[in-house]
């Protein structure tokens, strides 16, 4: 039986731990805080399968399928909610990107279609549509409360035989392969580093360079709000989702590398003001903001994840840009399969980079290609 350590109890690490354990691996998951206390607990919980590249579409399709499966089991809610993305009049660049993406998504079997502004208004009267040049809708989409996912997957992993250690900060050791926790060296046959924004630093401390850059993004919630789909206003550069009785809105990307141990947890005033204006422009609703925060996402040079084996027995799962939560059920499953001898996802092979590449951070949730 393979003796495996998973470092990181976010959406990806807990999924991988569950899939490893249910297939017979001897798994220990280490989480330095509480489960979901990293980026997953700060995410917006928007999930969809509207991706134009073949591999992305397959991954997202599988992720939505698993979210639905977990939801049917009754311990977690994936609430079916269409995803609409749009470009405004005058923004020809993004409008033509949307027109070009939709047929490619359909070629990959995605249930997406272009909507003219009148159809959009008819389906969602609360959305302002008179400034919309083009919109598209994906029906295989939904919303979840992301903080509920890691505890669920960790408990499934435990039921499958895994050990879950929280408040257990791990360092990675490569020779011999293992982790050090509370001053104790523990040897493992394989180690998966799924430590979100800390992945680069943890691996660097072990002498392994990876092409990752953490960066800050922001979100807020409102006390009340109209009935909207999951909405991405590509021209305005922000998204909306229903959240309790109100809305959750976000983006506010800071395209500079953040220190994973030293970054501003609260949202910037400018972000809050601009997002309130965006909500008002898109829905006519003057939002009363109840909470506003920041979190870290992780960029890679080509905006695809680093997922797979870095060197003998040492695996990584990070670099998901703004799309790590929605793909986690599939990404965790794929890296677990690779650790057990399968192929993984060749396009996301982390050794395609040396780790010393210079690159700019480009926000993940964008329709510009
Ligand atoms: C405001 C915001 C909104 C977002 N919205 C969405 C969205 O709607 N949809 C979407 O798909 N994505 C969204 N994202 C991105 C998403 O949050 C991430 O891509 C995803 O949560 C990454 O999951 P993860 O498991 O890789 O990382 P994390 O959730 O960060 O998990 C890594 C874990 O590793 C732990 N850790 C770190 N160092 C150590 C160590 N030394 N030892 C042990 N444990 C360690 C951390 O405490 C953490 O819990 C959003 C992000 C933010 C910030």
């Amino acid at each position: 039986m393979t003796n495996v350590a998973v470092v990181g109890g976010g959406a990806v690490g807990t999924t991988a731990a569950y899939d490893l354990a249910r297939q017979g691996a001897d798994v220990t998951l280490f989480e330095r805080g509480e489960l979901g206390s990293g980026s997953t607990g700060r995410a917006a919980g928007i999930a969809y399968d509207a991706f134009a590249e073949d591999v992305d579409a397959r991954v997202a399709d599988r992720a939505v399928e698993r979210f639905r499966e977990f939801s049917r089991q009754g311990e977690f809610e994936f609430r079916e909610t269409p995803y609409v993305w749009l470009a405004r009049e005058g923004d020809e660049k993004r409008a033509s990107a949307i027109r070009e993406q939709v047929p490619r998504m359909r070629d990959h079997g995605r249930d997406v279609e272009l909507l003219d502004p009148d159809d959009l208004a008819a389906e969602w009267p609360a959305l302002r549509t008179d400034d919309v040049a083009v919109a598209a809708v994906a029906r295989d989409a939904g919303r979840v409360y992301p903080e509920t996912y890691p505890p669920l997957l960790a408990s499934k992993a435990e039921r499958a035989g895994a050990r879950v250690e929280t408040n257990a900060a791990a360092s990675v050791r490569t020779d011999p392969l293992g982790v050090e926790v509370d001053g104790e060296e523990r040897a493992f046959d394989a180690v998966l580093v799924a430590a979100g924004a800390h992945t680069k630093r943890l691996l660097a401390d072990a002498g392994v360079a990876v092409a990752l850059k953490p960066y800050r993004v922001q979100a807020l919630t409102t006390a009340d709000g109209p009935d909207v789909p999951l909405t991405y206003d590509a021209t305005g550069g922000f998204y909306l989702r229903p959240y309790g009785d109100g809305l959750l809105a976000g983006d506010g990307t800071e395209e500079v590398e953040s220190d994973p141990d030293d970054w501003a947890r609260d949202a910037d005033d400018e972000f809050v003001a601009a997002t309130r204006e965006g909500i008002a422009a898109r829905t006519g609703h003057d939002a009363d903001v109840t909470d506003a925060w920041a979190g870290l996402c992780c960029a890679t040079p080509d905006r695809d994840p680093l997922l797979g084996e870095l060197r003998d027995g040492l695996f990584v799962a990070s670099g998901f840009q703004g799309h790590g939560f929605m793909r986690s059920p599939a990404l965790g499953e794929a890296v677990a399969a690779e650790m057990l001898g399968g192929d993984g996802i060749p396009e996301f092979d982390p050794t395609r980079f040396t780790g010393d590449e210079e690159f700019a951070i480009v926000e993940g949730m964008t329709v510009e290609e």
Side-chain angles (χ1 to χ4, degrees):
M1 183 182 286
T2 314
N3 185 23
V4 180
V6 176
V7 179
V12 177
T14 55
T15 306
Y18 166 56
D19 285 311
L20 286 160
R22 74 188 177 87
Q23 290 170 88
D26 183 2
V27 181
T28 310
L29 172 80
F30 299 99
E31 164 54 51
R32 72 179 209 157
E34 298 301 323
L35 296 166
S37 58
S39 301
T40 300
R42 293 174 169 262
I46 292 173
Y48 52 75
D49 70 351
F51 288 88
E53 298 301 328
D54 186 25
V55 60
D56 297 328
R58 267 188 284 122
V59 166
D61 180 41
R62 175 64 181 144
V64 169
E65 180 179 54
R66 289 195 98 189
F67 275 137
R68 285 181 172 146
E69 192 182 305
F70 297 143
S71 191
R72 274 195 300 273
Q73 291 165 5
E75 298 165 287
F76 164 82
E77 190 185 16
F78 175 79
R79 189 143 171 206
E80 303 283 340
T81 317
Y83 170 62
V84 167
W85 69 113
L86 61 89
R88 298 182 197 167
E89 295 287 357
D91 183 2
E92 200 37 51
K93 190 171 153 196
R94 291 185 186 82
S96 51
I98 293 174
R99 286 191 196 95
E100 181 268 336
Q101 287 173 340
V102 167
R104 288 170 60 213
M105 291 174 184
R106 292 177 66 88
D107 285 349
H108 299 313
R110 302 307 95 217
D111 182 6
V112 299
E113 60 185 315
L114 288 169
L115 279 185
D116 69 38
D118 291 344
D119 293 338
L120 187 60
E123 197 164 351
W124 289 286
L127 283 182
R128 181 187 159 203
T129 55
D130 59 344
D131 62 344
V132 173
V134 60
V137 60
R139 304 280 172 190
D140 283 314
R143 62 193 204 255
V144 307
Y145 291 104
E147 67 278 12
T148 62
Y149 182 82
L152 170 73
L153 271 286
S155 72
K156 288 168 99 58
E158 284 182 308
R159 290 201 290 273
R163 282 172 301 284
V164 175
E165 300 188 17
T166 54
N167 300 305
S171 320
V172 177
R173 299 280 175 264
T174 52
D175 190 19
L177 186 64
V179 300
E180 184 182 319
V181 178
D182 288 334
E184 189 196 340
E185 303 245 358
R186 297 162 66 168
F188 287 92
D189 303 327
V191 174
L192 170 64
V193 184
H198 284 93
T199 301
K200 178 182 180 176
R201 182 159 291 172
L202 268 179
L203 287 167
D205 289 346
V208 181
V210 284
L212 288 173
K213 284 185 185 174
Y215 63 95
R216 202 167 154 267
V217 303
Q218 303 170 75
L220 58 77
T221 49
T222 70
D224 55 9
D227 181 27
V228 293
L230 311 173
T231 307
Y232 179 51
D233 180 333
T235 307
F238 69 94
Y239 59 80
L240 292 176
R241 59 158 279 188
Y243 188 87
D245 293 332
L247 300 172
L248 187 157
D251 206 332
T253 301
E254 204 178 77
E255 290 176 338
V256 292
E257 184 165 1
S258 288
D259 180 331
D261 292 309
D262 183 16
W263 49 282
R265 263 75 172 167
D266 292 334
D268 309 335
D269 293 344
E270 304 75 53
F271 162 78
V272 173
T275 305
R276 286 191 65 194
E277 273 173 32
I279 293 172
R282 185 58 48 219
T283 67
H285 181 67
D286 185 12
D288 183 7
V289 173
T290 48
D291 196 9
W293 66 94
L296 298 180
C297 289
C298 262
T300 65
D302 61 2
R303 295 161 57 199
D304 275 340
L306 304 186
L307 192 90
E309 192 166 22
L310 277 168
R311 53 172 71 174
D312 279 350
L314 179 61
F315 292 78
V316 64
S318 187
F320 308 123
Q321 304 276 163
H323 298 111
F325 179 72
M326 68 176 77
R327 295 183 291 173
S328 59
L331 295 169
E333 178 180 53
V335 77
E338 184 177 343
M339 293 176 81
L340 296 172
D343 290 336
I345 302 176
E347 292 85 346
F348 298 165
D349 180 348
T351 63
R352 70 188 184 279
F353 300 115
T354 57
D356 54 11
E357 287 80 4
E358 299 216 343
F359 64 100
I361 294 167
V362 179
E363 160 54 14
M365 202 172 191
T366 173
V367 298
E368 291 172 89
E369 287 299 323

